Amino acid sequence: MSATEGTPAGRLTRQEVAHVAMLARLHLDDEELDRFTGQLAVILDHAADVAALDLDGVPPTSHALSLANVLRADEPRPGLDRDEVLAGAPDVEDHRFRVPRILGEAP
Amino acid sequence: MSGVPGHDGWELVVGLEVHCELKTATKLFCGCPNSFGDEPNTNVCPVCLGLPGSLPVLNQRAVELAMAIGTALHCDIRPSTFHRKNYFYPDMPKDYQISQYDEPINADGWLELPDGARVGIVRAHLEEDTGKTTHAGASGRIHGADYSLVDYNRSGVPLVEIVSAPDLRSPAQARSYAAELRAILVATGASDGKMEEGSMRVDANVSVRRAGSSELGTRCEIKNLNSLRSLAHAVEHEAQRQVEVLESGGVVRQETRHWDEDRGATVTLRSKEEAEDYRYFLEPDLVPVVPDDGWRSAVAEALPPMPAARRRKLGALFGDEPVEPGGARSDQVATVVDLGLDELVEAAVAEGVPAALALARTANEAATDADAARRLPLVSYVALLRMEATGELTATQVKTVLADLLRDGGGDPAELARERGFEALSSEAVAAMVADAIAAHPDEWGRYRSGEDKLTGFFTGAVMKASRGQADGKAVAAELARRRAEP
């Protein structure tokens, strides 16, 4: 969980925003960091307002729609044509997507 | 046996994480075929390629197989939600994997090992598999690779990840747990349990501590365990490595290590110091799964008998004679259950074949081609074993005819025996051959008569040779005993 959870509004630091941006592979310049730190702080303020309410006995909302068990039968459906799929790839070898050398193993 | 082999005074603590691919017709969130070994990138669609605007829809069969696994592992089956686990790696084109996080479908269960020990199951949750990357370059390994190739056929294949409690205390116990779990997964119909094809993948969390301590040591996660054998080896080597680090005053770092089968050692893959931050959040495109009692009991009722119950049932065929755990007979029972050949043994015993004979022929001979054996008409198999039980055919002849039956997918064993020229020798013929052997070896006969029992083998061998293997060893031994008892 992020280090900002539960911290009072206004305490979100520029450094934390830079960290979150790095995790999301977003490259923000100084001006953007300032702007998004302010915007994210407003969102966290709102979350803090909700957290301040007495919510004992209110189940957490897991979805905006009050639906459950939306399921699909296990029946195959045709997918996409391989040539069409690979036409969108930056590079192809042996009918597979060719991607740059990866540093580190998959998580 | 517990502890760290070769190091007294240390205790080994192991928990296993097992990923099991579910045997569904389609993927977890789209209708693409779930099929191993197809041409690369032929089972893909906008959903499993992560194309913008595509939406996942949950596969009902996958949910039911997960519930079946949870039921078999005595878990609570709970209302559950899906989360996005965010990371950037080309095996997941969406840049997140849909998994279950704080509300898994199954939690708090247990699995009983064949020796009676219970291993806690922390959770067994649903998630999607990733695509398959191949690292091209000189080494074939990720380090030193020039580039990677990705096949998305596996992307989105349904998985259940089963996390055990750190209850395992030896390499053998870790292996036994994985073997029993595999048998259960196969029995539920959820998986084919093929470790070599990656449809069951085992990661081991290994730590060591001083014997008697109740604190957990720093653990390392071992990956790339492609067989039960490598699991046991890797756990043993890793435990020894950690003990050696600690005994020389070092510190075990929490990290992921890769089992190198050729070198017989684990090597660092990545350190956990690069803290994982997956920024899990609820998957907004999926709603909760809330199984009601009716659904839960329908899944439970459809569950076939589990391996432990089937082993007990086979053991009961021996009546008062117990099947010793760890003994040869218990291995035979385990083999029969693993291969799903229970019915052959049970049908033979029901028709009067001695349980030991039915079990031995099934575990030793029928097991050599289990696929064919499962398809064999029971009536053919039972008739053949009866011919051995009554002495009409010798053990060697029965094995030959059984191979014919398995090859042909059935048939009349009596007919096959005749085609092979396996005429049962009459008792007169056996008696005449025994008499010939006695006449040819008067000295040995004298010694046998005066109590040298080991010469039974000598005479049986002589009769076998004379009959070109057609005599029944037991009938020969009986005739020898009868002759010796004569005044």
Side-chain angles (χ1 to χ4, degrees), chain A:
Chain A
M1 273 321 220
S2 96
T4 57
E5 189 185 45
T7 55
R11 295 271 303 276
L12 178 69
T13 65
R14 215 168 165 274
Q15 234 175 351
E16 285 166 331
V17 176
H19 175 68
V20 173
M22 187 276 289
L23 290 174
R25 304 297 187 271
L26 294 174
H27 301 285
L28 304 183
D29 61 29
D30 284 353
E31 186 274 324
E32 284 170 322
L33 266 181
D34 288 335
R35 182 151 42 101
F36 292 132
T37 303
Q39 289 185 0
L40 284 168
V42 171
I43 295 169
L44 290 174
D45 284 347
H46 178 64
D49 288 345
V50 175
L53 300 174
D54 178 9
L55 298 174
D56 285 354
V58 179
T61 303
S62 58
H63 203 278
L65 302 174
S66 58
L67 285 174
N69 303 333
V70 175
L71 299 163
R72 164 180 73 75
D74 186 26
E75 286 160 9
R77 284 172 47 165
L80 295 174
D81 175 70
R82 179 163 70 182
D83 292 337
E84 197 185 342
V85 165
L86 294 174
D91 201 355
V92 175
E93 185 176 313
D94 287 343
H95 304 295
R96 289 173 292 179
F97 291 74
R98 181 176 161 150
V99 297
R101 188 164 77 99
I102 300 154
L103 293 171
E105 292 274 353

